[in-house]
Amino acid sequence: MLKILKVNGESLSPELKPGDYVVVSNRFWMPCAGDVIVFQHKRYGTMIKKLYHISRSGSDYFVIGAHRNSIDSRHFGMIEKAAVIGRVVWLIRGKT
Amino acid sequence: MIYEIVKKLDSVLKFETASAHCDIPCGIYDPITAQIAALTVIRMVDLAGELQKEHPTQDAPFHNSLARYVAVKEEYAEKCKHEIRIIWGDYFKPEHFEKYPELNGLVHEILQLASKSRQNIDRSSGLQLLKSVNRFAQIFWETKGVATKLAKAPYEPGEQIVYPAF
């Protein structure tokens, strides 16, 4: 499955900026720290963050943003693997 | 070109948004919270000094109040450092550091003075902290093209602080 989404927000700046597009895939993927992933959060909706840590069981992920004020696992805890839509495989950068 | 194509597709297909959610309304900075924190440090030192006079036997109420004043002094000295760090790290740009070469040294001095204010219960440490934070505030407003004025705060400890002269 491939999906295109538009980035909104600053928490992964300067790597990803508002207005950039990302192509996301969940095929042939062994998640590892450093992957930028898209997931569903019950309160914040569709979010994009960097995968920082995977639980031993592999079923929960700790995600963070690059910005000091990012809303991420430091606030809402680990996310379930089932909530993950996929990882970013292609970044289509907007005009700088 | 690829971006333009995707953008056109977005206008038609309305791609879903992935939120790289950030907490604060970025762009809102004001050194007043650091200045108030420095004033609070001085106020707590003053209150602790008054306590000595009111409770010469250093009874239980003395120790209770002193512990609370020290706890607040600790909290606000650290808050002062936090507020300064945020403005220094998130607001100031390279052109500001070029125009005000004292800025990095001033921030370091503030952080050290705030720590010193935590380590002792001495009014002069708090006054030095306030003086440096006031200079930081002055620079901040100057970078926004806003003139400043020095005025006595309308509450204890009644020390002078830098205000923007809007």
Side-chain angles (χ1 to χ4, degrees), chain B residues 6-46:
Chain B
V6 172
K7 196 174 171 187
K8 277 217 166 44
L9 284 171
D10 186 16
S11 65
V12 174
L13 300 173
K14 305 285 184 238
F15 293 135
E16 190 179 349
T17 298
S19 177
H21 193 64
C22 208
D23 193 14
I24 59 166
C26 298
I28 299 180
Y29 303 98
D30 196 320
I32 190 65
T33 41
Q35 291 167 287
I36 290 173
L39 282 172
T40 304
V41 167
I42 299 168
R43 182 66 179 139
M44 292 303 113
V45 169
D46 289 347

Side-chain angles (χ1 to χ4, degrees), chain A residues 3-11 19 21 40 46-49 67-71 90 92-95, chain B residues 2-4 6-11 15-24 26 29 82 85-86 89-90:
Chain A
K3 194 169 182 177
I4 301 178
L5 297 105
K6 188 173 182 180
V7 176
N8 178 36
E10 293 280 353
S11 75
Y21 291 93
Q40 279 294 331
T46 307
M47 300 187 81
I48 181 165
K49 298 287 176 185
H67 196 283
R68 60 159 71 228
N69 296 306
S70 163
I71 295 288
W90 190 14
I92 304 167
R93 201 178 288 287
K95 285 180 184 168
Chain B
I2 292 175
Y3 180 81
E4 295 305 323
V6 172
K7 196 174 171 187
K8 277 217 166 44
L9 284 171
D10 186 16
S11 65
F15 293 135
E16 190 179 349
T17 298
S19 177
H21 193 64
C22 208
D23 193 14
I24 59 166
C26 298
Y29 303 98
H82 175 75
R85 271 195 297 259
I86 289 205
D90 291 358

